Amino acid sequence: MADSQKQAVSQAVTGKCTLLTGGPGVGKTTVVNSILRILRAKGVKATLCAPTGRAAKRLSESTGQEAKTIHRVLEFDPKTQDFKHNAENPLETDLLVCDETSMVDVSLMHKLLSALPDSAAVLLVGDVDQLPSVGPGAVLADAIGSGVLPTVRLTEIFRQARTSQIIVNAHRINAGLLPHTSEPQPPDGDWFLIRSDTPEQIQERLIKTLCERIPARFGLDPIADVQVLTPMNRGGLGARALNVLLQQQLNPQSQPRIERFGWIFAPGDKVIQNVNNYDKEVFNGDFGRIRAIDTENSEVRIAFDGREVVYEFGELDELALAYATSVHKAQGSEYPAVVIPLATQHYMLLQRNLLYTGVTRGKRLVVLIAQPKALGMAVRQIGGQRLTRLRQRLIEASV
């Protein structure tokens, strides 16, 4: 274990509040597991949570301990439209571990910390260099930037991780360097850059890559295993246009088909939830697959991480197709493979933290299909800082 990891373990085991940050391959999971092992042996009760279902599932798999979404930990009550756990009814826990903290907005973090008993410690884990939360604030960045909370930043890429071009190139992008691509590109590699001249060429190559090359070379299912991540929702390479195109390519024959709220839905389609639905326990950013459409009863059955949820036709405005989605929506998720189109038409959103977040979603394979100028812009441009008062308030509170 590296010195920085030992420091993180020591700080979390003895301290009241610890922030742990670092990119892929630097051993955040190892640190969290070590902390939990030590504290379990001491009889400490730990509560594990993450902002999305997928992130909670990953945390559970990596620690061997149950992890829930923040909403489930706090127990949302549909009658009061608020959480059951709060300052008056705190959680029964000795340690709260929250993963993917960069995704948590200021309102939800306030609710979570308010529900902690005074005796409990907290460990906030996340990658501060990723995109900030979809909701308001930049909680993790502000907490670290304040300098008043004990923070451990892991930077050393471990030997086994150095063999992954995904991890190496993610760190290059984060440092403002162009990703390294071997020429010729090895057929069994995990990182591919397909240079393209025009948006039309990008679209054509994206379809061929997703529908033919990846399934043939890697044996991956283009719907279940591969996610197209695009910087924008609009335009020819935006999520909306690509979804229509990819549905035609990947699920053209499935019946029955219904049209609602500007989308055509069919059994087998991949969909994404766009708002929090506490009654159904499905939250903004959750991915699902349509299992069946019952036209007689006007119902759609959708599987979210193995759990089946029923939607009435009138509720389908909460959903969109998800063959392609924005990088923002993919935060907290991991996929066996991601395909990312980058064109200069995306210039408004071509920023380093967006590209970094996108490429770190891929576990086995990342394919960039890019105009070279667009890739250069994305690596060079640093995203604007959000204007919040949290950093100043933390500093003032510590004086």
Side-chain angles (χ1 to χ4, degrees):
M1 187 178 271
D3 289 343
S4 56
Q5 288 181 305
K6 290 175 185 173
Q7 181 197 347
V9 173
S10 173
Q11 171 58 47
V13 168
T14 58
K16 189 76 169 169
C17 174
T18 305
L19 308 178
L20 175 63
T21 189
V26 296
K28 293 195 297 292
T29 301
T30 302
V31 169
V32 172
N33 280 332
S34 299
I35 292 164
L36 291 174
R37 270 200 307 273
I38 292 167
L39 294 178
R40 263 200 299 264
K42 293 183 174 183
V44 170
K45 182 182 180 185
T47 299
L48 277 56
C49 66
T52 67
R54 283 197 170 202
K57 189 177 179 183
R58 283 213 331 269
L59 180 60
S60 185
E61 288 168 353
S62 65
T63 60
Q65 188 171 331
E66 184 186 29
K68 298 178 180 178
T69 62
I70 295 172
H71 295 87
R72 283 192 177 165
V73 164
L74 296 178
E75 294 185 47
F76 186 80
D77 185 353
K79 288 180 183 174
T80 62
Q81 288 295 298
D82 206 349
F83 295 111
K84 290 180 181 176
H85 289 289
N86 48 39
E88 285 72 43
N89 180 32
L91 296 163
E92 291 183 15
T93 191
D94 302 314
L95 170 70
L96 178 78
V97 179
C98 181
D99 198 11
E100 296 287 358
T101 307
S102 61
M103 293 181 64
V104 184
D105 65 34
V106 71
S107 171
L108 187 57
M109 183 57 75
H110 171 67
K111 298 276 190 186
L112 182 61
L113 296 181
S114 296
L116 269 187
D118 291 341
S119 59
V122 63
L123 171 63
L124 302 180
V125 185
D127 187 344
V128 73
D129 296 315
Q130 287 185 25
L131 287 166
S133 56
V134 175
V139 174
L140 185 62
D142 284 344
I144 291 172
S146 72
V148 301
L149 296 171
T151 301
V152 180
R153 184 189 278 265
L154 303 177
T155 56
E156 183 183 340
I157 305 174
F158 287 92
R159 189 173 59 251
Q160 62 269 33
R162 286 189 212 126
T163 61
S164 166
Q165 285 300 298
I166 296 172
I167 290 174
V168 169
N169 282 325
H171 285 273
R172 285 181 64 86
I173 290 165
N174 200 29
L177 302 170
L178 283 170
H180 175 74
T181 305
S182 304
E183 296 292 350
Q185 298 182 58
D188 58 346
D190 63 1
W191 176 277
F192 293 87
L193 172 61
I194 301 173
R195 295 176 179 86
S196 304
D197 296 323
T198 64
E200 293 75 22
Q201 198 176 60
I202 292 174
Q203 191 183 88
E204 179 188 316
R205 289 176 175 178
L206 184 149
I207 291 169
K208 192 176 181 77
T209 298
L210 181 70
C211 302
E212 298 174 26
R213 289 180 176 171
I214 291 176
R217 185 178 293 182
F218 297 94
L220 296 173
D221 183 311
I223 299 177
D225 298 328
V226 188
Q227 185 61 48
V228 176
L229 300 179
T230 179
M232 298 187 78
N233 282 311
R234 297 181 180 172
L237 290 173
R240 175 165 277 277
L242 287 176
N243 269 311
V244 172
L245 203 59
L246 293 172
Q247 185 188 44
Q248 292 167 358
Q249 295 287 326
L250 295 170
N251 195 27
Q253 304 297 333
S254 183
Q255 296 292 337
R257 304 174 88 77
I258 58 165
E259 187 170 353
R260 292 291 185 283
F261 306 104
W263 293 106
I264 293 171
F265 295 105
D269 277 337
K270 181 158 60 173
V271 294
I272 186 169
Q273 177 80 10
N274 284 324
V275 295
N276 289 336
N277 188 319
Y278 297 100
D279 294 330
K280 297 185 191 298
E281 292 192 338
V282 183
F283 303 106
N284 188 2
D286 285 355
F287 286 79
R289 287 286 293 273
I290 296 178
R291 289 286 175 246
I293 295 177
D294 183 344
T295 52
E296 282 187 22
N297 295 309
S298 299
E299 289 181 344
V300 179
R301 284 192 288 114
I302 302 173
F304 289 93
D305 279 325
R307 188 173 64 92
E308 211 160 82
V309 181
V310 176
Y311 286 73
E312 294 178 6
F313 283 3
E315 297 175 310
L316 294 177
D317 59 335
E318 297 185 3
L319 299 167
L321 292 179
Y323 297 98
T325 190
S326 69
V327 176
H328 287 81
K329 285 285 189 185
Q331 281 180 274
S333 295
E334 276 188 349
Y335 313 93
V338 297
V339 178
I340 303 173
L342 286 179
T344 51
Q345 64 181 226
H346 297 148
Y347 71 95
M348 289 288 288
L349 287 168
L350 290 177
Q351 294 174 350
R352 187 182 302 170
N353 60 354
L354 181 132
L355 180 58
Y356 173 74
T357 301
V359 301
T360 52
R361 300 309 92 205
K363 284 195 292 188
R364 286 178 53 191
L365 178 67
V366 170
V367 181
L368 287 182
I369 307 177
Q371 290 175 285
K373 185 179 178 183
L375 178 58
M377 288 168 69
V379 170
R380 282 194 308 274
Q381 291 187 158
I382 299 172
Q385 192 175 347
R386 289 187 174 181
L387 300 176
T388 77
R389 282 271 300 154
L390 180 58
R391 189 177 303 200
Q392 288 81 0
R393 292 182 74 173
L394 286 169
I395 293 168
E396 288 163 8
S398 70
V399 175

